[in-house]
Amino acid sequence: MEDLSRNQIFALHGITGTGSIALATALTYPLDTIKVLTQVIAFSTLIISHYQCDYAYTNLLFVDSKVGSIAGKELNANQVVLRVLSVSGNKGLFSGFGWLAFGRVFGTGARFGVYEILTAYCKDGREDNYVSASEALLAGMVAGATETFISSPFELIKLRMQVAAASYVPSSNFALEEGARKPLIARLLNGCYPDKRSLNQYVGLMSTLTTKNTNITGDLLEYPWAMTGSGRPPSVCNVRRPLDIISLEGWNTLWRGLRSGIVRDSVFGGVFFSSWQFLHQIMLDWKAAGMNPQPRLNQDIPPLSPLAVTLAAGFSGSVAAAASHGFDTARSRSQCTVLPKYVSMERKLLKWKQPGNRFQRYTGIHPSDRNILFRGLGLRMARSGVASFMIVGSYLFVVDHLASSLT
């Protein structure tokens, strides 16, 4: 009977944590959508203004006669919201919510679970149930890195759906019969078709040359870059479903931006748990100062109010978001870039090196992103702060309610 009650309590804590994470994700998801689009629009601006060769694979946010063009413009939060509402309506603010909620449940659960396991080793054998801020920092960094591996595929699909919700891509592709597609383009660019206008331009240019082969169109279809013209693959808006991503870019794409993601979540987890532990200890010391006699251990101090713990968690979430936001921007840039498998193969054969200094290569930051690394900082701080507040607050509220009802 005792084991059964323990299993029930464990299940109740798991269900409560899952519900808290899902609720916090739902309430803060519009802020995440606006933040992501603010970052992605900044990338689009760089494409127009600098023509970076590595950005040639990001093809998004085109001109819409009804909505207008945002290419080359920097939009504020209000303009981004109007853009989403005009293209996709109210549901556009929640595009990709299911993917993020599913990944956030497992990722955040892994973050807190790994942190509790690591801190349990730190507290083992100590008379006082105490964890220092430095120990919380190291444990939080390991926990954040663990979260990255779990939530990365869900975040990539979520981001591309968010971009599609604010993007208008004119339909210029024409469908060929299945037998008319050449094996090479069908294998490398599954589900994609050549751009008719670009293909006609190619044929027009090649027809002026002297050649013995009269089937110029068929030969051009052997080259994947003849699909859209200008050497660009499809828009990121057209490569957002899991099957499309895997067929065009490969399985490794689901973990694209892993370096910047590991650094981002490690910094976030370390700063979040260390600052939360620091604030928790300050509140305990403040409460112990008014007690007579003075308590010798933390266990002798009455529990803190749930509101104080929740406010400390919300503040820690905002600080952690500010500390890791630059890496979040770098990861958003990497995930909204379409990189077909044949391009990745060419880079491996040519031993292509990522541009930037050693720190930029290690953290996944592109040198051209230096001016936009803090774009959307306030939005992410607000989202992380409110989400942390909601997760901890709703969890403590439900647990205290269940504990009181059981007793």
Side-chain angles (χ1 to χ4, degrees):
M1 292 298 294
E2 184 178 355
D3 293 338
L4 180 61
S5 62
R6 288 182 179 179
N7 292 333
Q8 290 177 347
I9 293 175
F10 180 79
L12 288 176
H13 279 274
I15 295 173
T16 302
T18 301
S20 301
I21 296 171
L23 176 62
T25 304
L27 292 178
T28 60
Y29 193 79
L31 290 176
D32 183 79
T33 300
I34 301 171
K35 183 267 300 182
V36 167
L37 294 178
T38 302
Q39 294 171 326
V40 171
I41 290 171
F43 304 149
S44 178
T45 303
L46 283 178
I47 300 171
I48 300 299
S49 58
H50 298 294
Y51 296 99
Q52 298 293 336
C53 60
D54 194 45
Y55 284 95
Y57 301 108
T58 307
N59 186 18
L60 43 89
L61 303 172
F62 287 82
V63 180
D64 185 353
S65 58
K66 297 181 180 179
V67 180
S69 174
I70 63 175
K73 299 180 181 179
E74 296 181 5
L75 303 185
N76 55 32
N78 294 331
Q79 292 172 323
V80 170
V81 172
L82 293 176
R83 172 74 185 186
V84 175
L85 295 178
S86 60
V87 174
S88 303
N90 294 328
K91 65 179 182 179
L93 294 174
F94 292 89
S95 180
F97 165 73
W99 289 99
L100 181 62
F102 195 74
R104 186 63 58 85
V105 167
F106 289 99
T108 306
R111 187 210 308 171
F112 280 91
V114 172
Y115 176 79
E116 290 296 333
I117 293 173
L118 294 178
T119 52
Y121 281 100
C122 297
K123 295 182 291 186
D124 187 24
R126 293 179 179 175
E127 183 181 7
D128 191 1
N129 189 18
Y130 174 74
V131 177
S132 64
S134 60
E135 292 172 340
L137 174 66
L138 296 176
M141 293 181 67
V142 176
T146 305
E147 179 185 7
T148 305
F149 290 95
I150 298 175
S151 61
S152 181
F154 305 99
E155 286 189 6
L156 181 135
I157 301 172
K158 178 268 304 183
L159 181 140
R160 296 196 173 184
M161 288 187 172
Q162 289 173 327
V163 173
S167 304
Y168 173 80
V169 182
S171 180
S172 61
N173 293 348
F174 71 102
L176 298 178
E177 296 180 0
E178 191 66 27
R181 288 196 298 164
K182 294 297 181 177
L184 183 61
I185 192 172
R187 184 173 66 254
L188 296 179
L189 302 172
N190 184 27
C192 301
Y193 299 93
D195 183 89
K196 186 175 183 179
R197 184 176 59 181
S198 300
L199 186 61
N200 291 336
Q201 290 177 351
Y202 288 148
V203 173
L205 292 174
M206 297 293 291
S207 62
T208 59
L209 302 177
T210 303
T211 176
K212 296 181 180 179
N213 190 356
T214 57
N215 188 13
I216 301 178
T217 302
D219 290 341
L220 287 175
L221 291 177
E222 288 282 0
Y223 298 93
W225 50 84
M227 182 185 60
T228 60
S230 304
R232 293 184 299 183
S235 166
V236 65
C237 309
N238 292 333
V239 191
R240 62 182 186 272
R241 296 182 302 177
L243 292 179
D244 295 336
I245 295 173
I246 294 172
S247 62
L248 178 63
E249 303 177 74
W251 285 94
N252 295 334
T253 305
L254 297 177
W255 285 270
R256 177 168 295 162
L258 186 61
R259 291 185 179 182
S260 55
I262 290 176
V263 178
R264 181 199 66 178
D265 292 338
S266 297
V267 173
F268 183 91
V271 174
F272 174 77
F273 286 112
S274 60
S275 58
W276 194 13
Q277 180 65 28
F278 178 74
L279 293 175
H280 189 268
Q281 188 61 40
I282 289 178
M283 291 186 292
L284 286 177
D285 295 340
W286 181 270
K287 195 169 187 176
M291 297 178 61
N292 190 14
Q294 289 291 317
R296 189 174 64 90
L297 302 174
N298 287 340
Q299 291 87 330
D300 300 331
I301 304 174
L304 297 173
S305 65
L307 180 60
V309 177
T310 303
L311 290 174
F315 178 79
S316 301
S318 296
V319 174
S324 61
H325 183 71
F327 307 106
D328 178 76
T329 305
R331 192 178 195 199
S332 296
R333 173 207 179 275
S334 178
Q335 289 180 332
C336 74
T337 301
V338 178
L339 195 65
K341 288 183 285 188
Y342 74 90
V343 177
S344 302
M345 187 185 307
E346 289 177 352
R347 288 185 173 186
K348 290 181 180 180
L349 294 175
L350 297 175
K351 297 181 179 180
W352 180 84
K353 293 183 178 181
Q354 185 177 351
N357 54 38
R358 182 177 298 178
F359 175 79
Q360 292 173 338
R361 291 195 301 269
Y362 180 78
T363 57
I365 298 176
H366 196 279
S368 300
D369 297 340
R370 289 175 295 182
N371 296 330
I372 62 171
L373 287 179
F374 296 99
R375 191 68 56 82
L377 174 62
L379 293 169
R380 186 162 182 261
M381 290 181 63
R383 184 192 66 81
S384 298
V386 174
S388 301
F389 179 88
M390 290 297 302
I391 291 174
V392 177
S394 58
Y395 177 80
L396 293 178
F397 175 79
V398 175
V399 169
D400 291 342
H401 180 73
L402 291 176
S404 61
S405 62
L406 291 176
T407 56

